[in-house]
Amino acid sequence: PFKMGVRVLVFLGSLALAWAACSPGRPVQRKFVSVAVDQKIAAVADRMLDKELACIFSNTLPNTLDTTVYQQGKLEGKDDTFVVTGDIEAMWLRDSMNQVQPYMQFASTDEGLKSLLRGLVNRQTLQVNTDVYANAHNYNAAQGTTPHTDDHTTKPSFLGTRVDAMTPLIFERKYELDTLCAFLKLSRTYYAATNDTGPFGPAWLDAVDAVLTAMREMQAATSEYVGTYVFQRCSSCEPSDTISHGVGWPAPRTGLIRSYFRPSDDANLFPFNIPANAMAVVELHGVSSLLLKLGQSSLSDAAARLANEVDAAIDKFGKTTRAPFGEVYAYEVDGYGNALFMDDANVPSLLSLPYLGYVSASDPLYQSTRSAVLSAANPYFFSGRAGNGTGGPHNGIGWVWPMSIAMRAFTSTDDNEIRMCLGMLRDTTAGTGFMHESFWLDNAGQYTRPWFAWANSFFGELILHLAETRPHILFG
């Protein structure tokens, strides 16, 4: 997400600080307390052999609950939860979904937590119905402030005219395919965890229909597109702008879904982001199953058909070759034969395809893609004295994102590789006991965003995952 002030805020620390032991960093005044989460933290941390890792886990897993629940209450008689990203007082659909994913497993035994998660589904429903193309929102119109009021983003109006689409409720209006998928994933995982159909009433059905409509519109070729969404940021500073007068790189109809922006909030180069389309396949199938259980067979069928179209298109258009790895998934394609191979730390990414549920970690095409991603074939894979991992254009050359190291561990089938990743994550907190957005490849004491709740949640999710699937790594 957007950084206030300078694009990359760097915090300088000494090398001694970079390797200092973790210290407990929980706030005295916690925004939300889940007894179930706290009990799990205590049970897992107590058994972990590496006590510094255990300390980091104890800090990071509850960080979203501790610090980013901006508001929880009722809105028009329904549970309502507004979750900020951390150091930015706005709610991203993508971030907020990912921030709460580790808590889903506790919702069935913690009514307060269940209410919080239900409120987040309701809030995301409201946000999608407010503007299906917006990626981040303010809490309300009265308190709504944004540095993006000069963005040129419009929507169709009367008699072919266009009007400004920014409103006080919208913090940022970057259309990202994965943001729509995040809403579907939050809904799917909440229902799977609770069997509660409470949030899935008429407003939610309207939001799902809006998502499917937007996805269908974004399958259109550039020559067919009626311009429902355009975006330009009038700045000389890429990567926050789109080309071709706000509609992006030209594209034919392929079955893939166009996206203007990546999961990093940076502008696409080519219109079809393959990891985001892969996430769409998974989440469209997921919402199709949920809709069927709700008796919404027509909408369910529409979601399933769209998922199958996108999946077939990934198979046809979403691959490229990269020596010496052979055939790999592309990061972005244009449908004309041009392909971009790279990866970005933000999820969905090529590295995250098994985590998304699109392929298994042992899939041969994924394995060849993974090998290329974790090599110099990926222009955003950085290796230095402090660690190695994927970064991205968002922060630029040399900045390694801990989220990518955690994803490498999450998708690995090799115990030694997982141990190596855990060691890097432990040794790059600069003594703060929390994950950061990124660190400089040669000095973890230089880092961006000390309060980035998504990264904290994902580290906590990784430890919970390993405790269930590979306990010997953590507990001996």
Side-chain angles (χ1 to χ4, degrees), residues 276-308:
N277 273 268
M279 186 178 184
V281 171
V282 174
E283 298 310 330
L284 285 167
H285 279 307
V287 80
S288 175
S289 297
L290 175 54
L291 287 163
L292 202 57
K293 292 172 183 174
L294 296 171
Q296 301 292 327
S297 58
S298 178
L299 202 55
S300 171
D301 289 345
R305 285 195 303 272
L306 181 54
N308 291 334

Side-chain angles (χ1 to χ4, degrees), residues 54 63 71 73 115 125 148 164 172 204 218 288 306 373-374 411 416 438 443 447 451 455 467 476:
N63 182 245
Q71 183 71 33
S115 175
T125 297
H148 306 306
D164 186 7
E172 188 171 57
W204 181 82
M218 289 298 174
S288 175
L306 181 54
V373 164
L374 300 174
T411 56
N416 289 330
S438 67
N443 179 7
Y447 56 87
W451 182 21

